[in-house]
Amino acid sequence: MSRAIAYVGLGSNLNAPRERILAAFEALGALPETRVVGRSSLYRSAPQGHAQQPDFVNAVAKLETALAPTALLAALHEIETRHGRDRPYRNAPRTLDLDLLLYGTEPIVSAELTVPHPRMHQRAFVLKPLLELDPQAQIPGRGRAQALLERCADQPAELID
């Protein structure tokens, strides 16, 4: 069975966010036909959109997986649910957010999934940990992640560990 490299963005700002991110790394490693081959450091970032909420803890995981993209997305949603994820409104505070950022090297557009993640190229809290795992990362249709990060210079994403 063929395997793909996928990158998953992790974020949390409720109920012990640092511990939730670390637990999410473990949950990703327990997915069938999947292994975590890279884990970024943790970063702190200010919320975007709805600003009246706690700061986020963010990270990126690099996976090697035989799961199809939609199966991986469903598995990510299941992990979020187990961690009490609620979606009352866009950009709401959350216990755990798992975004499929990249899957392989080609874009994916379907009713269920868009890869690369549609806003990842605009978010320092995604690009910094991604570049930590792959300094040469390319975002299909957008270009080099390093150049995209330079456009996000006004967004603090502080390394916390």
Side-chain angles (χ1 to χ4, degrees):
M1 178 169 285
S2 69
R3 300 181 79 72
I5 296 296
Y7 290 89
V8 175
L10 299 86
S12 175
N13 73 338
L14 294 177
N15 303 338
R18 183 182 182 284
E19 290 73 17
R20 291 229 183 243
I21 297 297
L22 296 176
F25 277 129
E26 297 304 316
L28 291 170
L31 292 175
E33 304 180 82
T34 302
R35 67 186 184 104
V36 176
V37 295
R39 293 167 50 149
S40 77
S41 301
L42 303 182
Y43 292 80
R44 179 176 294 109
S45 66
Q48 295 189 352
H50 179 70
Q52 297 301 315
Q53 57 181 307
D55 284 351
F56 277 85
V57 174
N58 299 101
V60 169
K62 180 179 181 179
L63 308 180
E64 181 183 83
T65 186
L67 295 176
T70 53
L72 179 56
L73 181 65
L76 298 180
H77 287 165
E78 172 57 32
I79 293 169
E80 288 177 341
T81 299
R82 288 196 318 258
H83 281 266
R85 172 72 190 263
D86 188 19
R87 299 172 192 265
Y89 54 89
R90 185 175 169 85
N91 296 319
R94 58 207 74 146
T95 55
L96 185 62
D97 186 24
L98 300 176
D99 289 327
L100 183 53
L101 303 172
L102 298 168
Y103 184 97
T105 58
E106 298 299 318
I108 301 167
V109 179
S110 72
E112 303 86 28
L113 178 63
T114 300
V115 174
H117 186 281
R119 291 169 301 284
M120 71 177 287
H121 67 284
Q122 301 169 325
R123 296 175 167 171
F125 66 83
V126 171
L127 296 169
K128 278 187 180 182
L130 174 66
L131 284 162
E132 184 182 322
L133 295 174
D134 181 359
Q136 304 305 316
Q138 298 278 332
I139 313 301
R142 300 288 182 184
R144 289 179 35 253
Q146 183 61 51
L148 296 166
L149 177 60
E150 291 166 11
R151 295 183 199 153
C152 301
D154 62 330
Q155 297 175 26
E158 173 192 358
L159 182 68
I160 55 176
D161 63 50

